Amino acid sequence: MNIPKHIAIIMDGNGRWAKARGLPRVMGHAQGVEAVKKIVKSCVKIGVKHLTLYAFSNENWSRPDHEVKALFKLLEDFIDKEFKLFHENKIKFNIIGERQRIQKDVLVKMENTEKDTQDYNNLTLNIALSYGARQEILNAAKILAEDVLNAKIGLSEIDEKIFSSKLYTKGQPDPELLIRTSGEMRVSNFLLWQISYTEFYVTETLWPDFDDKELNKAIEEYNKRDRRFGGR
Ligand code: IPE
Ligand code: IPE
Ligand code: MG
C-alpha cells in the first residue's frame, strides 16, 4: 500500500459525540485528544512523515469563552503530558496559525516544545491553531509585497515555489490526503493553497471515534484513487 507522506485532518464532531451521550461539549474535546494521541502513534508506525491536524480555526474564536478556554487548556495538557511521545518517537512539533492571538503563557510552552523537538524528523506534527487559510495566504502576500518594496526580490521572480515558502507549511510537501470526520463536505478555511491536488476523504465517524482502523480505511480508499493532476 502507498502511504501518503503528508496527511491533513479536519478533526470535526467532538460536540456531536458529546451530545449523543448527554455530556458537555468539552468532554467531546477531551475524548478528541485521546484520538489525537492514537492517530499520531499510528502515523509514526506506518511511516507518514507529516501530519497536519486542524485543532482550532480563526473562526472558532467566536465560540463561547468557556469552550475556547477549555480547548486551550486541553492543548496545554497535551503538550505537558506528551513530552515522552514526542521524544520517544522523534516527532517534530510545529504550530501553524496566528501565534499572536494565542495566550502568551500557552504560546511560550508551545514554542519551547517546538525548540526541543526541532531536530527530529521521524514525523512532523503540525497543529493548526488559530489557523485560517485565507489569513495565511494574505500574510504570505504581504511578506512578498514588503520584500518587493524593499527591493529584496523582483516582482517577476515571484513564483509558486517562493510563495509556498512564505506559508506556515514552508519546506513541507503538500498533503496527498485530506480527511474530514463527521460527514461535512467543506474545507472550513483549511490549507486552501496546499490542497489544490489533494484527495478528499470524508467519513461519518465522529472525531473521538476515529482510530487506526478508520485511518487504514482512508488510506485504502486513497490507494484506489486515480490521481491525474490534469495531465490526461
Ligand atoms: C471539532 O469539533 C473541534 C473543534 C472545532 C475545536 P466541534 O466542536 O466542531 O464538534 P461539532 O462539529 O459541534 O460536533
Ligand atoms: C473545523 O471545524 C475546524 C476544526 C476542526 C478545528 P468547525 O466545526 O469549526 O467547522 P464548521 O463550522 O463545521 O465549518
Ligand atoms: Mg464542528
Side-chain angles (χ1 to χ4, degrees):
M1 208 157 52
N2 176 14
I3 304 292
K5 278 196 193 69
H6 186 169
I7 298 179
I9 309 182
I10 302 175
M11 310 184 288
D12 200 11
N14 295 350
R16 276 162 279 180
W17 185 92
K19 195 174 176 209
R21 286 161 182 78
L23 298 168
R25 291 177 62 83
V26 171
M27 297 290 280
H29 296 316
Q31 204 55 41
V33 175
E34 296 308 311
V36 167
K37 290 182 206 164
K38 271 188 231 155
I39 294 309
V40 168
K41 282 181 201 155
S42 302
C43 283
V44 169
K45 201 154 89 192
I46 62 179
V48 173
K49 301 306 284 180
H50 306 261
L51 175 65
T52 303
L53 300 177
Y54 205 1
F56 192 86
S57 73
N58 258 334
E59 291 74 23
N60 290 150
W61 285 113
S62 67
R63 292 197 181 190
D65 207 36
H66 67 90
E67 185 175 348
V68 172
K69 282 211 176 90
L71 275 164
F72 276 89
K73 179 81 180 79
L74 282 168
L75 265 152
E76 204 181 342
D77 287 352
F78 171 70
I79 290 173
D80 283 342
K81 289 191 193 134
E82 297 315 314
F83 191 78
K84 235 174 103 186
L85 175 79
F86 299 150
H87 290 282
E88 276 176 359
N89 296 291
K90 307 249 176 294
I91 295 168
K92 179 175 177 169
F93 181 80
N94 188 38
I95 306 280
I96 61 170
E98 279 192 56
R99 291 178 188 236
Q100 64 275 20
R101 288 186 81 176
I102 301 169
Q103 200 187 306
K104 193 77 209 292
D105 54 333
V106 180
L107 182 64
V108 166
K109 218 172 244 185
M110 287 174 179
E111 290 185 338
N112 283 337
T113 306
E114 284 183 328
K115 270 183 224 134
D116 288 346
T117 62
Q118 66 184 353
D119 295 328
Y120 293 153
N121 63 2
N122 208 16
L123 171 76
T124 300
L125 175 63
N126 299 305
I127 304 285
L129 204 58
S130 190
Y131 176 87
R134 285 187 170 184
Q135 290 82 354
E136 179 184 34
I137 292 167
L138 260 178
N139 186 48
K142 284 183 187 167
I143 294 170
L144 284 168
E146 211 175 354
D147 285 354
V148 170
L149 280 175
N150 295 326
K152 278 195 194 155
I153 191 176
L155 190 55
S156 58
E157 284 173 68
I158 299 173
D159 58 10
E160 289 183 14
K161 207 170 153 221
I162 289 176
F163 198 91
S164 297
S165 76
K166 305 298 176 196
L167 298 173
Y168 301 134
T169 49
K170 59 180 165 292
Q172 300 189 50
D174 289 339
E176 296 97 321
L177 174 63
L178 169 66
I179 298 171
R180 181 162 187 151
T181 57
S182 86
E184 245 72 64
M185 299 281 189
R186 54 177 173 256
V187 281
S188 304
N189 204 10
F190 192 42
L191 303 177
L192 295 180
W193 172 281
Q194 297 89 338
I195 58 174
S196 10
Y197 267 103
T198 299
E199 297 295 328
F200 279 26
Y201 176 85
V202 176
T203 170
E204 290 295 326
T205 303
L206 305 173
W207 176 250
D209 292 327
F210 195 85
D211 58 13
D212 53 348
K213 268 203 204 95
E214 295 280 341
L215 179 67
N216 236 335
K217 255 205 288 195
I219 295 173
E220 265 169 27
E221 170 67 30
Y222 164 77
N223 271 266
K224 288 184 204 148
R225 302 281 174 88
D226 179 16
R227 304 189 77 199
R228 291 191 289 276
F229 298 100
R232 70 189 134 86

